[in-house]
Coordinates of all heavy atoms in Angstrom, one line a residue:
M1 N 0.8 -1.2 0.0 CA 0.0 0.0 0.0 C 0.9 1.2 0.0 O 1.8 1.3 0.7 CB -0.9 0.0 1.2 CG -1.8 1.1 1.4 SD -2.9 0.9 2.8 CE -3.1 2.6 3.2
A2 N 0.6 2.2 -0.8 CA 1.3 3.5 -0.9 C 1.1 4.3 0.4 O 0.1 4.0 1.1 CB 0.9 4.3 -2.1
Y3 N 1.9 5.2 0.6 CA 1.8 6.1 1.8 C 0.5 6.9 1.7 O 0.2 7.5 0.7 CB 3.0 7.0 2.0 CG 4.3 6.2 2.2 CD1 5.2 6.1 1.2 CD2 4.5 5.5 3.3 CE1 6.4 5.4 1.3 CE2 5.7 4.7 3.5 CZ 6.6 4.7 2.5 OH 7.8 4.0 2.7
S4 N -0.1 7.1 2.9 CA -1.3 8.0 2.9 C -1.0 9.4 3.1 O -1.8 10.3 2.9 CB -2.3 7.5 4.0 OG -1.7 7.6 5.2
S5 N 0.2 9.7 3.6 CA 0.7 11.1 3.8 C 2.2 11.2 3.8 O 2.9 10.1 3.9 CB 0.1 11.6 5.2 OG 0.7 10.8 6.2
L6 N 2.7 12.4 3.7 CA 4.1 12.6 3.9 C 4.6 12.1 5.2 O 5.7 11.6 5.4 CB 4.5 14.0 3.6 CG 6.0 14.4 3.7 CD1 6.8 13.6 2.8 CD2 6.2 15.9 3.5
E7 N 3.8 12.4 6.3 CA 4.2 12.0 7.6 C 4.4 10.5 7.7 O 5.4 10.1 8.3 CB 3.1 12.5 8.6 CG 3.4 12.2 10.1 CD 4.6 13.1 10.6 OE1 4.8 14.2 10.0 OE2 5.2 12.6 11.5
S8 N 3.5 9.7 7.1 CA 3.7 8.3 7.2 C 4.9 7.8 6.5 O 5.6 6.9 6.9 CB 2.4 7.5 6.7 OG 2.2 7.8 5.3
C9 N 5.2 8.5 5.4 CA 6.5 8.2 4.6 C 7.7 8.5 5.5 O 8.6 7.7 5.6 CB 6.5 9.1 3.4 SG 8.0 9.0 2.5
L10 N 7.7 9.7 6.2 CA 8.8 10.0 7.1 C 9.0 9.1 8.2 O 10.1 8.7 8.6 CB 8.6 11.5 7.6 CG 8.7 12.5 6.5 CD1 8.4 13.9 7.1 CD2 10.0 12.6 5.7
I11 N 7.9 8.6 8.8 CA 7.9 7.7 9.9 C 8.5 6.3 9.4 O 9.4 5.7 10.1 CB 6.5 7.4 10.5 CG1 6.1 8.7 11.2 CG2 6.5 6.2 11.4 CD1 4.6 8.7 11.6
D12 N 8.1 5.9 8.2 CA 8.7 4.7 7.7 C 10.2 4.8 7.4 O 11.0 3.9 7.7 CB 8.0 4.3 6.4 CG 8.2 2.9 5.9 OD1 8.6 2.0 6.7 OD2 8.1 2.6 4.7
L13 N 10.6 5.9 6.9 CA 12.0 6.2 6.7 C 12.8 6.1 8.0 O 13.9 5.5 8.1 CB 12.3 7.5 6.0 CG 11.9 7.6 4.5 CD1 12.0 9.0 4.0 CD2 12.9 6.7 3.7
E14 N 12.2 6.8 9.0 CA 12.9 6.8 10.3 C 13.0 5.4 10.9 O 14.0 5.0 11.5 CB 12.2 7.8 11.2 CG 12.9 8.0 12.6 CD 12.3 9.1 13.4 OE1 11.1 9.2 13.4 OE2 13.1 9.8 14.0
R15 N 12.0 4.7 10.9 CA 12.0 3.3 11.4 C 13.0 2.4 10.8 O 13.5 1.5 11.4 CB 10.6 2.7 11.2 CG 9.5 3.1 12.2 CD 8.3 2.4 12.0 NE 7.2 2.9 12.8 CZ 5.9 2.9 12.6 NH1 5.5 2.3 11.5 NH2 5.1 3.5 13.4
N16 N 13.3 2.7 9.5 CA 14.3 1.9 8.8 C 15.7 2.6 8.7 O 16.5 2.2 7.9 CB 13.7 1.7 7.4 CG 12.6 0.7 7.4 OD1 12.9 -0.5 7.5 ND2 11.4 1.1 7.4
G17 N 15.9 3.5 9.6 CA 17.2 4.1 9.7 C 17.6 5.0 8.5 O 18.8 5.2 8.3
Q18 N 16.7 5.5 7.8 CA 17.0 6.3 6.6 C 16.6 7.8 6.7 O 16.5 8.5 5.7 CB 16.3 5.7 5.4 CG 16.7 4.3 5.1 CD 16.1 3.7 3.8 OE1 16.1 4.4 2.8 NE2 15.6 2.5 3.9
L19 N 16.3 8.2 8.0 CA 16.0 9.6 8.2 C 16.6 10.1 9.5 O 16.7 9.3 10.5 CB 14.5 9.8 8.3 CG 14.0 11.2 8.6 CD1 13.0 11.6 7.6 CD2 13.4 11.3 10.0
I20 N 17.1 11.3 9.4 CA 17.7 11.9 10.6 C 16.9 13.2 10.9 O 16.6 14.0 10.0 CB 19.2 12.3 10.4 CG1 20.0 11.1 10.3 CG2 19.7 13.2 11.5 CD1 21.5 11.3 10.1
R21 N 16.5 13.3 12.2 CA 15.8 14.6 12.6 C 16.9 15.6 13.1 O 17.7 15.2 13.9 CB 14.9 14.2 13.8 CG 13.7 13.4 13.4 CD 12.8 13.1 14.6 NE 11.7 12.3 14.2 CZ 10.5 12.8 14.0 NH1 10.3 14.1 14.1 NH2 9.5 12.0 13.6
I22 N 16.8 16.8 12.6 CA 17.7 17.8 13.0 C 16.9 18.7 13.9 O 15.9 19.4 13.5 CB 18.2 18.6 11.8 CG1 19.0 17.6 11.0 CG2 19.1 19.8 12.3 CD1 19.6 18.2 9.7
K23 N 17.2 18.7 15.2 CA 16.4 19.4 16.2 C 16.8 20.8 16.5 O 16.1 21.6 17.0 CB 16.4 18.6 17.5 CG 15.8 17.2 17.4 CD 15.8 16.4 18.7 CE 15.3 15.0 18.5 NZ 13.9 14.8 18.2
E24 N 18.0 21.2 16.1 CA 18.5 22.5 16.3 C 17.9 23.5 15.3 O 17.5 23.1 14.2 CB 20.0 22.6 16.1 CG 20.9 21.8 17.1 CD 20.9 20.3 16.8 OE1 20.6 19.9 15.6 OE2 21.3 19.6 17.7
E25 N 17.7 24.7 15.7 CA 17.1 25.7 14.7 C 18.1 25.9 13.6 O 19.3 26.1 13.8 CB 16.8 27.0 15.5 CG 16.1 28.0 14.6 CD 15.8 29.3 15.3 OE1 16.7 30.1 15.6 OE2 14.6 29.5 15.5
V26 N 17.6 25.9 12.4 CA 18.4 26.2 11.2 C 17.8 27.3 10.4 O 16.6 27.5 10.4 CB 18.5 25.0 10.3 CG1 19.3 23.9 10.9 CG2 17.2 24.4 9.8
D27 N 18.6 28.1 9.8 CA 18.2 29.2 8.9 C 17.8 28.7 7.5 O 18.6 28.0 6.9 CB 19.3 30.2 8.8 CG 18.9 31.6 8.3 OD1 18.2 31.6 7.2 OD2 19.2 32.6 8.9
P28 N 16.6 29.1 7.0 CA 16.2 28.6 5.7 C 17.0 29.2 4.6 O 17.0 28.7 3.4 CB 14.8 28.9 5.7 CG 14.6 30.1 6.5 CD 15.6 29.9 7.6
Y29 N 17.7 30.3 4.8 CA 18.5 31.0 3.8 C 19.9 30.5 3.8 O 20.7 30.9 4.7 CB 18.4 32.5 4.0 CG 17.0 33.0 3.9 CD1 16.3 33.3 5.1 CD2 16.3 33.1 2.7 CE1 15.0 33.7 5.1 CE2 15.0 33.5 2.7 CZ 14.4 33.8 3.8 OH 13.1 34.2 3.8
L30 N 20.2 29.5 3.0 CA 21.6 29.0 2.7 C 22.0 27.9 3.7 O 22.6 26.9 3.4 CB 22.6 30.0 2.6 CG 22.4 31.1 1.5 CD1 23.5 32.1 1.5 CD2 22.3 30.4 0.1
E31 N 21.7 28.0 5.0 CA 22.1 27.0 6.0 C 21.5 25.7 5.7 O 22.2 24.6 5.7 CB 21.8 27.5 7.4 CG 22.4 26.5 8.4 CD 22.1 26.9 9.9 OE1 21.3 27.8 10.1 OE2 22.8 26.4 10.8
M32 N 20.2 25.6 5.5 CA 19.5 24.3 5.2 C 20.0 23.7 3.9 O 20.3 22.5 3.9 CB 18.0 24.5 5.1 CG 17.3 24.6 6.4 SD 15.5 25.0 6.3 CE 15.0 23.7 5.2
A33 N 20.2 24.6 2.9 CA 20.7 24.1 1.6 C 22.2 23.5 1.8 O 22.5 22.5 1.2 CB 20.7 25.2 0.6
A34 N 23.0 24.2 2.6 CA 24.4 23.7 2.8 C 24.4 22.3 3.5 O 25.1 21.4 3.1 CB 25.2 24.7 3.6
I35 N 23.5 22.2 4.5 CA 23.4 20.9 5.2 C 22.9 19.8 4.2 O 23.5 18.7 4.1 CB 22.5 21.0 6.4 CG1 23.1 21.9 7.4 CG2 22.2 19.6 7.0 CD1 22.1 22.4 8.5
H36 N 21.9 20.1 3.5 CA 21.3 19.2 2.5 C 22.4 18.8 1.5 O 22.5 17.6 1.2 CB 20.1 19.8 1.8 CG 19.7 19.1 0.6 ND1 18.8 18.0 0.6 CD2 20.1 19.1 -0.7 CE1 18.6 17.5 -0.6 NE2 19.4 18.2 -1.4
L37 N 23.1 19.7 0.9 CA 24.1 19.4 -0.1 C 25.1 18.5 0.4 O 25.5 17.5 -0.3 CB 24.7 20.7 -0.6 CG 25.7 20.6 -1.8 CD1 25.0 19.9 -3.0 CD2 26.2 21.9 -2.2
R38 N 25.6 18.7 1.6 CA 26.7 17.9 2.2 C 26.2 16.4 2.4 O 26.9 15.5 2.1 CB 27.2 18.4 3.5 CG 28.0 19.6 3.3 CD 28.6 20.1 4.6 NE 29.2 21.4 4.5 CZ 29.1 22.4 5.4 NH1 28.5 22.2 6.5 NH2 29.7 23.6 5.1
V39 N 25.0 16.3 2.9 CA 24.4 15.0 3.2 C 24.1 14.3 1.8 O 24.4 13.1 1.7 CB 23.1 15.1 4.0 CG1 22.4 13.8 4.1 CG2 23.5 15.6 5.4
H40 N 23.5 15.0 0.9 CA 23.2 14.4 -0.4 C 24.5 13.9 -1.1 O 24.5 12.8 -1.6 CB 22.5 15.4 -1.3 CG 22.2 14.9 -2.7 ND1 21.3 13.9 -2.9 CD2 22.8 15.2 -3.9 CE1 21.3 13.6 -4.2 NE2 22.2 14.4 -4.8
E41 N 25.5 14.7 -1.1 CA 26.8 14.4 -1.8 C 27.4 13.1 -1.2 O 28.1 12.3 -1.8 CB 27.8 15.5 -1.8 CG 27.4 16.6 -2.8 CD 28.3 17.8 -2.7 OE1 29.1 17.9 -1.7 OE2 28.3 18.6 -3.6
A42 N 27.2 12.9 0.1 CA 27.7 11.8 0.9 C 26.8 10.5 0.7 O 27.1 9.5 1.3 CB 28.0 12.1 2.3
G43 N 25.7 10.7 0.0 CA 24.7 9.6 -0.1 C 24.1 9.3 1.2 O 23.7 8.2 1.5
G44 N 23.9 10.4 2.0 CA 23.3 10.2 3.4 C 21.8 10.1 3.4 O 21.2 10.0 2.4
P45 N 21.3 10.1 4.6 CA 19.8 9.9 4.8 C 19.0 11.1 4.5 O 19.5 12.2 4.2 CB 19.8 9.6 6.3 CG 20.9 10.4 6.9 CD 22.0 10.3 5.9
A46 N 17.7 10.8 4.5 CA 16.7 11.9 4.4 C 16.8 12.8 5.7 O 17.3 12.3 6.7 CB 15.3 11.4 4.2
L47 N 16.5 14.1 5.6 CA 16.6 15.0 6.7 C 15.2 15.6 7.0 O 14.4 15.9 6.1 CB 17.5 16.1 6.3 CG 18.9 15.7 5.9 CD1 19.7 16.9 5.3 CD2 19.7 15.1 7.0
L48 N 15.0 15.7 8.3 CA 13.8 16.4 8.8 C 14.2 17.5 9.7 O 14.7 17.3 10.8 CB 12.8 15.5 9.5 CG 11.5 16.1 10.0 CD1 10.7 16.7 8.9 CD2 10.7 15.1 10.8
F49 N 14.1 18.8 9.2 CA 14.5 19.9 9.9 C 13.3 20.3 10.8 O 12.2 20.7 10.3 CB 14.8 21.1 9.0 CG 16.1 20.9 8.1 CD1 15.9 20.4 6.8 CD2 17.3 21.1 8.6 CE1 17.0 20.2 6.0 CE2 18.5 20.8 7.8 CZ 18.3 20.4 6.5
E50 N 13.4 20.1 12.1 CA 12.2 20.3 13.0 C 12.0 21.8 13.4 O 10.9 22.1 13.8 CB 12.4 19.4 14.2 CG 12.3 18.0 13.8 CD 12.2 17.1 15.0 OE1 12.8 17.4 16.1 OE2 11.6 16.0 14.9
R51 N 13.1 22.6 13.3 CA 12.9 24.0 13.8 C 13.5 24.9 12.7 O 14.7 25.1 12.7 CB 13.6 24.2 15.1 CG 12.9 23.4 16.3 CD 13.6 23.7 17.6 NE 13.7 25.1 17.9 CZ 14.8 25.7 18.5 NH1 15.8 24.9 18.8 NH2 14.8 26.9 18.7
V52 N 12.7 25.4 11.8 CA 13.1 26.3 10.7 C 12.9 27.7 11.2 O 11.8 28.1 11.5 CB 12.4 26.0 9.4 CG1 12.8 26.9 8.3 CG2 12.5 24.5 9.0
K53 N 14.0 28.4 11.2 CA 13.9 29.8 11.7 C 12.9 30.6 11.0 O 12.9 30.7 9.8 CB 15.3 30.5 11.6 CG 15.4 31.9 12.2 CD 16.8 32.4 12.0 CE 17.0 33.8 12.6 NZ 18.3 34.3 12.5
G54 N 12.0 31.3 11.7 CA 11.0 32.1 11.2 C 9.8 31.4 10.6 O 8.9 32.0 9.9
S55 N 9.7 30.1 10.8 CA 8.6 29.3 10.2 C 8.0 28.4 11.2 O 8.7 27.8 12.0 CB 9.1 28.5 9.0 OG 8.1 27.6 8.5
P56 N 6.6 28.3 11.2 CA 6.0 27.3 12.1 C 6.0 25.9 11.6 O 5.6 24.9 12.3 CB 4.6 27.8 12.2 CG 4.3 28.4 10.9 CD 5.6 29.1 10.5
F57 N 6.6 25.7 10.4 CA 6.6 24.4 9.7 C 7.9 23.7 9.8 O 8.9 24.4 9.7 CB 6.1 24.5 8.3 CG 4.8 25.2 8.1 CD1 4.7 26.5 7.7 CD2 3.6 24.5 8.4 CE1 3.5 27.1 7.6 CE2 2.4 25.1 8.3 CZ 2.3 26.4 7.9
R58 N 7.9 22.4 9.7 CA 9.1 21.6 9.6 C 9.4 21.5 8.1 O 8.5 21.8 7.3 CB 8.9 20.2 10.1 CG 8.4 20.1 11.6 CD 8.2 18.7 12.0 NE 7.2 18.1 11.3 CZ 6.9 16.8 11.3 NH1 7.6 16.0 12.1 NH2 6.0 16.2 10.5
A59 N 10.6 21.0 7.8 CA 11.0 20.9 6.4 C 11.7 19.5 6.2 O 12.6 19.2 7.0 CB 11.8 22.0 5.9
A60 N 11.3 18.8 5.2 CA 12.0 17.5 4.9 C 12.8 17.7 3.6 O 12.4 18.4 2.7 CB 11.0 16.4 4.7
S61 N 14.0 17.1 3.5 CA 14.8 17.1 2.3 C 15.5 15.8 2.1 O 15.6 15.0 3.0 CB 15.7 18.3 2.3 OG 16.8 18.1 3.2
N62 N 16.1 15.7 0.9 CA 16.8 14.5 0.6 C 16.0 13.2 0.7 O 16.6 12.1 0.8 CB 18.1 14.4 1.4 CG 19.2 13.6 0.7 OD1 19.3 13.7 -0.5 ND2 20.0 12.9 1.5
I63 N 14.7 13.3 0.5 CA 13.9 12.1 0.7 C 14.2 11.1 -0.5 O 14.3 9.9 -0.2 CB 12.4 12.5 0.6 CG1 12.0 13.3 1.9 CG2 11.5 11.3 0.5 CD1 10.6 13.9 1.8
F64 N 14.4 11.6 -1.7 CA 14.7 10.8 -2.8 C 16.2 10.9 -3.2 O 16.6 10.8 -4.3 CB 13.9 11.1 -4.0 CG 12.4 11.0 -3.8 CD1 11.6 12.2 -3.5 CD2 11.8 9.8 -3.7 CE1 10.3 12.1 -3.3 CE2 10.4 9.7 -3.4 CZ 9.7 10.9 -3.2
G65 N 17.1 11.0 -2.1 CA 18.5 11.3 -2.3 C 19.3 10.2 -2.9 O 20.3 10.4 -3.5
T66 N 18.8 8.9 -2.8 CA 19.5 7.8 -3.5 C 18.6 6.9 -4.2 O 17.4 6.9 -3.9 CB 20.3 6.9 -2.4 OG1 19.3 6.3 -1.6 CG2 21.2 7.7 -1.6
L67 N 19.1 6.2 -5.2 CA 18.2 5.3 -5.9 C 17.6 4.2 -5.0 O 16.4 3.9 -5.1 CB 19.0 4.7 -7.1 CG 18.2 3.8 -8.0 CD1 17.0 4.5 -8.7 CD2 19.1 3.2 -9.1
E68 N 18.4 3.7 -4.1 CA 17.9 2.7 -3.2 C 16.8 3.2 -2.3 O 15.8 2.5 -2.1 CB 19.1 2.2 -2.3 CG 20.2 1.5 -3.0 CD 21.2 2.4 -3.7 OE1 21.3 3.6 -3.4 OE2 21.8 1.9 -4.7
R69 N 16.9 4.5 -1.8 CA 15.8 5.0 -1.0 C 14.6 5.3 -1.9 O 13.5 5.0 -1.4 CB 16.3 6.3 -0.3 CG 15.3 6.8 0.7 CD 15.8 7.8 1.7 NE 16.6 8.8 1.2 CZ 18.0 8.9 1.4 NH1 18.6 8.0 2.0 NH2 18.6 9.9 0.8
S70 N 14.7 5.7 -3.1 CA 13.6 5.9 -4.0 C 12.9 4.5 -4.2 O 11.7 4.4 -4.1 CB 14.0 6.4 -5.3 OG 14.5 7.7 -5.1
R71 N 13.7 3.5 -4.4 CA 13.1 2.1 -4.6 C 12.3 1.7 -3.3 O 11.3 1.1 -3.3 CB 14.1 1.1 -4.9 CG 14.6 1.2 -6.3 CD 15.6 0.1 -6.6 NE 16.0 0.2 -8.0 CZ 17.3 0.2 -8.4 NH1 18.3 -0.1 -7.5 NH2 17.6 0.3 -9.7
F72 N 12.9 2.0 -2.1 CA 12.3 1.7 -0.8 C 11.0 2.4 -0.7 O 10.0 1.8 -0.3 CB 13.3 2.1 0.3 CG 12.6 2.0 1.7 CD1 12.6 0.8 2.3 CD2 12.1 3.1 2.3 CE1 12.0 0.6 3.5 CE2 11.5 3.0 3.6 CZ 11.5 1.7 4.2
L73 N 10.9 3.7 -1.1 CA 9.7 4.5 -0.9 C 8.6 4.0 -1.9 O 7.4 4.1 -1.5 CB 10.0 6.0 -1.2 CG 10.8 6.6 -0.1 CD1 11.2 8.0 -0.6 CD2 10.1 6.7 1.2
F74 N 9.0 3.5 -3.0 CA 8.0 3.0 -4.0 C 7.8 1.5 -4.0 O 7.3 0.9 -5.0 CB 8.3 3.6 -5.4 CG 8.1 5.1 -5.5 CD1 9.2 5.9 -5.5 CD2 6.8 5.6 -5.6 CE1 9.0 7.3 -5.6 CE2 6.6 6.9 -5.7 CZ 7.7 7.8 -5.7
K75 N 8.2 0.9 -2.9 CA 8.2 -0.6 -2.9 C 6.8 -1.2 -3.1 O 6.7 -2.3 -3.6 CB 8.8 -1.1 -1.6 CG 8.0 -0.6 -0.3 CD 8.8 -1.0 0.9 CE 8.1 -0.5 2.2 NZ 8.3 1.0 2.4
D76 N 5.8 -0.5 -2.7 CA 4.4 -1.0 -2.8 C 3.6 -0.6 -4.0 O 2.4 -0.8 -4.1 CB 3.6 -0.6 -1.5 CG 4.2 -1.2 -0.3 OD1 4.8 -2.3 -0.4 OD2 4.1 -0.7 0.8
T77 N 4.3 0.1 -5.0 CA 3.6 0.5 -6.1 C 4.0 -0.2 -7.4 O 5.0 -0.9 -7.4 CB 3.9 2.1 -6.4 OG1 5.3 2.2 -6.6 CG2 3.4 2.9 -5.2

């Protein structure tokens, strides 16, 4: 069965060791992008920025960062 929401997708990634939560506040102007770029280039996990400066919303990135993770996410389709 496909995911019913982005939240369920993120939970599945976390349960399988493919997501890291970043709890520190990050600036959405260049800081988030720099972190994402380093992790992506290293073939690292998906990221969930929990405290984005100036925003009430969380931000997820690098969800489809590797072919293996993309296959994992679409395993039921």
